[in-house]
Amino acid sequence: MNKKFISTLSLALVIGLSCGIFNQALSKGNNSIQKKQLQQAKTAQKVINVSPLAVVNNPHKYLNKTVKMQATFDKFSTLGLDYKKALRPSNKYIGILIQRDDVIDHSIPLSEMKLFLKKELAEKHIDLDAGDKIELSATVFSTALNDPWLDVNDLKIIKKAKKEEAKN
């Protein structure tokens, strides 16, 4: 009888330990899934919808943050390229200017905002024309000269500007 008791106790102990190890492994698996979901949620929360003028008026508030904004494209530019305190080299980047959205009767560029696209991204958008409505996602990487300097991560054309037909 003593042998049966010891065998049963040993078997119960082995099964109990096995279940504990299995549950711990399962818990670690769920933990990594939960961490991944939490990281994805944090990344999604980091994008701030904002107007371009809000960023210009308070650039330090958005430093190292990703912003999403809608704007009117003005032109490609070299403004701010190769400036040592916020270096974006002209051989890898091109700048863009957007129009001020607080001026209605004229097209005035928002030159206080320095927007940079990697040339690979800019080449995908060579069909941009002045007046095109765009949406961009960008990260404020510097506030040199008290201006916002942004790396554009994504650019979408929302609406093409109507081209004036040639007058005969």
Side-chain angles (χ1 to χ4, degrees):
M1 176 149 169
N2 210 5
K3 284 184 177 181
K4 280 186 179 183
F5 178 74
I6 292 174
S7 295
T8 306
L9 185 61
S10 297
L11 182 61
L13 186 62
V14 168
I15 291 172
L17 285 174
S18 298
C19 288
I21 292 170
F22 177 74
N23 284 337
Q24 187 177 16
L26 189 59
S27 174
K28 283 184 181 179
N30 285 340
N31 232 358
S32 66
I33 291 170
Q34 288 172 345
K35 284 180 184 176
K36 190 174 186 178
Q37 289 171 341
L38 183 62
Q39 183 63 31
Q40 289 171 344
K42 282 182 181 179
T43 302
Q45 290 174 355
K46 289 182 183 177
V47 177
I48 303 165
N49 287 317
V50 68
S51 75
L53 284 174
V55 178
V56 167
N57 291 334
N58 196 353
H60 300 284
K61 178 180 177 181
Y62 300 99
L63 184 61
N64 299 318
K65 295 186 176 154
T66 301
V67 295
K68 189 176 194 177
M69 56 189 144
Q70 292 187 358
T72 303
F73 177 79
D74 191 63
K75 64 182 134 236
F76 288 100
S77 169
T78 59
L79 182 67
L81 288 170
D82 298 319
Y83 178 63
K84 290 185 181 187
K85 293 184 180 178
L87 185 62
R88 290 299 180 259
S90 57
N91 64 338
K92 295 182 181 178
Y93 291 86
I94 186 72
I96 63 168
L97 287 170
I98 58 175
Q99 294 177 5
R100 296 186 69 90
D101 56 3
D102 59 344
V103 178
I104 299 170
D105 56 348
H106 291 69
S107 295
I108 300 175
L110 185 63
S111 58
E112 301 92 332
M113 180 177 279
K114 314 308 187 275
L115 293 161
F116 302 102
L117 282 87
K118 288 188 177 180
K119 286 197 173 180
E120 297 82 31
L121 180 58
E123 288 170 357
K124 294 177 183 178
H125 296 287
I126 57 172
D127 60 336
L128 277 170
D129 293 311
D132 287 351
K133 302 291 182 194
I134 60 172
E135 180 180 81
L136 50 90
S137 171
T139 304
V140 180
F141 70 87
S142 177
T143 57
L145 303 173
N146 207 30
D147 287 343
W149 299 66
L150 296 91
D151 280 326
V152 176
N153 307 319
D154 189 37
L155 187 146
K156 294 176 186 168
I157 299 171
I158 299 172
K159 183 179 179 187
K160 292 291 288 174
K162 292 182 181 177
K163 297 200 180 214
E164 291 185 35
E165 295 180 358
K167 296 177 182 175
N168 291 339

